Amino acid sequence: MTDATQAAVAAPGWHLLSQGASSAAARTDTLFLAMVLLCGGMALLIGGLLLFLCIRYREGSKADRSSPSNDSHPLEIAWTVAPVLVFIGVFWWAAHDWWIERTVPDGAMVVQVVGKQWMWHLQHANGRREINALHVPLGRPVVLTMASQDAIHSFFVPAFRLKQDVVPGRITRFSFTATRLGEFHIFCAEYCGSEHSAMVGTLTVMPPAAFSRWLEAGPHEPGVVQQGFALFRDAGCSGCHGAASTVPAPPLGGLYGSTVRLADGRTLRADDDYLRDAIVLPRKDVVAGYPPVMPSYAGRLDESQLQALIAWMRAGAPSLPDAEDLR
Ligand code: HEC
Ligand SMILES: [Cu+2]
């Protein structure tokens, strides 16, 4: 660890919560603190009133009991409407924060994550892999595209105040901008089998220049987009989707992010989930104007291969030279 890192980890002073380390943390902490104050304030108010009334109207006290008020409409309306407004306010606040966190900034650095019993497999765009560890640069938006090979897992970084389930059959996202150098815990926060508690890792936030050096220094494979293109040829997709094919199959360039019209009249946006389904469940959404002849690749491609194919389509499905020629 560098000096700067150590200073960040051992930040002095008293903290109600462990110090946050992402752009989401301050927002979440403020909301959390507000909820604690709101609930704590209500508990004190109710407890205080209870105690006061117990003492005032205890047996034998001289309190005035002559005209008990049995119903008061203004009071009833007030104690119904006020909490409803408070709850709507809290909901709006939380939904607003959630929306900000869900919105992935343009130019975010994509890292692929596959959760499996019982470890996290990660891969950077240039092909560098990590297991139970993630290195990211300070201050740059990062988005993890996450898939599970088996059970439901959940990617949790307490210092970032962010948690996202990783669900088989879907691709979920986890996006953040790290705001503090240091090493932080990664946990799996969804019970996923006997060694669930061992499914932990370390997230290291580095200065951008050091991160670039780290990313290039390690052993890396062809980049993820290159891997996707290799699969496009090797798994036989190009036989139908390739330029020279005689099978009527839609071209894949320019597909990502576009609106697709389906044979049954629905329209869908071609996002990660749509593309994943197109490959493993081709009969689910058949594209309008094409015969439903695409075979399912369920069980033939694993999650990291599916992610590579999607990354390749996200990059515009380019035709690339062979991996060997790139070196
Ligand atoms: C036997 C020919 C064939 C093969 C092999 C094939 N596909 Fe397809 N694919 C099609 C046809 C035909 C469609 C359009 C009908 C449909 O949606 O099922 C299609 C649709 C798709 C779509 C949706 C396209 C859109 O415009 O929305 C994607 C994505 C896709 N294929 C990717 C792949 C990938 C990746 C592979 C290799 C792993 C592959 N296909 C292999 C024939 C094929
Ligand atoms: Cu797990």
Side-chain angles (χ1 to χ4, degrees), residues 30-326:
T30 312
L31 177 61
F32 180 70
L33 203 66
M35 290 302 289
V36 169
L37 289 178
L38 184 70
C39 299
M42 280 310 286
L44 280 179
L45 180 72
I46 293 170
L49 274 175
L50 194 69
L51 204 65
F52 167 74
L53 295 172
C54 280
I55 292 169
R56 185 180 161 102
Y57 292 105
R58 71 192 181 279
E59 194 180 346
S61 78
K62 303 220 163 31
D64 176 17
R65 293 175 168 89
S66 57
S67 58
S69 89
N70 283 328
D71 59 342
S72 154
H73 285 290
L75 194 63
E76 284 171 18
I77 289 171
W79 80 44
T80 308
V81 171
V84 168
L85 291 181
V86 170
F87 290 149
I88 289 176
V90 171
F91 172 80
W92 184 85
W93 183 354
H96 173 258
D97 284 2
W98 183 84
W99 193 252
I100 294 178
E101 278 141 35
R102 294 289 300 177
T103 313
V104 180
D106 287 341
M109 177 183 115
V110 183
V111 182
Q112 285 174 200
V113 180
V114 177
K116 57 174 155 184
Q117 289 163 328
W118 287 276
M119 57 183 101
W120 299 107
H121 280 257
L122 298 97
Q123 190 170 26
H124 292 267
N126 76 343
R128 177 148 193 193
R129 289 176 189 275
E130 306 195 63
I131 291 182
N132 292 340
L134 171 59
H135 290 72
V136 295
L138 183 75
R140 170 149 180 225
V142 176
V143 57
L144 311 185
T145 59
M146 308 193 296
S148 166
Q149 195 81 31
D150 37 52
I152 301 178
H153 303 281
S154 187
F155 196 90
F156 181 30
V157 183
F160 285 6
R161 313 287 193 264
L162 292 171
K163 179 172 10 177
Q164 171 62 55
D165 279 7
V166 183
V167 184
R170 289 194 53 183
I171 293 178
T172 52
R173 292 165 158 240
F174 183 96
S175 76
F176 60 88
T177 303
T179 53
R180 207 150 61 79
L181 296 173
E183 296 187 355
F184 306 100
H185 288 295
I186 301 170
F187 291 114
C188 176
E190 181 71 50
Y191 180 67
C192 57
S194 57
E195 282 164 53
H196 159 70
S197 62
M199 200 165 160
V200 294
T202 307
L203 194 157
T204 308
V205 180
M206 308 170 88
F211 173 76
S212 302
R213 281 195 299 278
W214 174 88
L215 191 63
E216 290 307 322
H220 49 89
E221 304 173 27
V224 172
V225 173
Q226 178 75 44
Q227 291 171 31
F229 177 64
L231 280 165
F232 174 70
R233 281 180 330 193
D234 301 346
C237 324
S238 58
C240 297
H241 291 282
S245 151
T246 50
V247 180
L252 301 181
L255 171 62
Y256 191 89
S258 69
T259 304
V260 181
R261 213 162 53 79
L262 303 180
D264 59 12
R266 285 177 298 144
T267 53
L268 284 177
R269 211 175 73 85
D271 58 8
D272 291 4
D273 271 325
Y274 169 79
L275 296 176
R276 189 185 179 286
D277 285 353
I279 302 170
V280 298
L281 300 166
R283 294 297 169 277
K284 182 170 163 253
D285 309 308
V286 175
V287 183
Y290 291 96
V293 294
M294 174 156 164
S296 166
Y297 285 83
R300 289 171 59 190
L301 298 172
D302 67 24
E303 291 299 333
S304 66
Q305 291 174 318
L306 290 171
Q307 290 228 22
L309 276 167
I310 293 169
W312 170 69
M313 290 188 259
R314 199 187 294 127
S319 289
L320 298 169
D322 279 335
E324 290 72 33
D325 303 343
L326 286 181

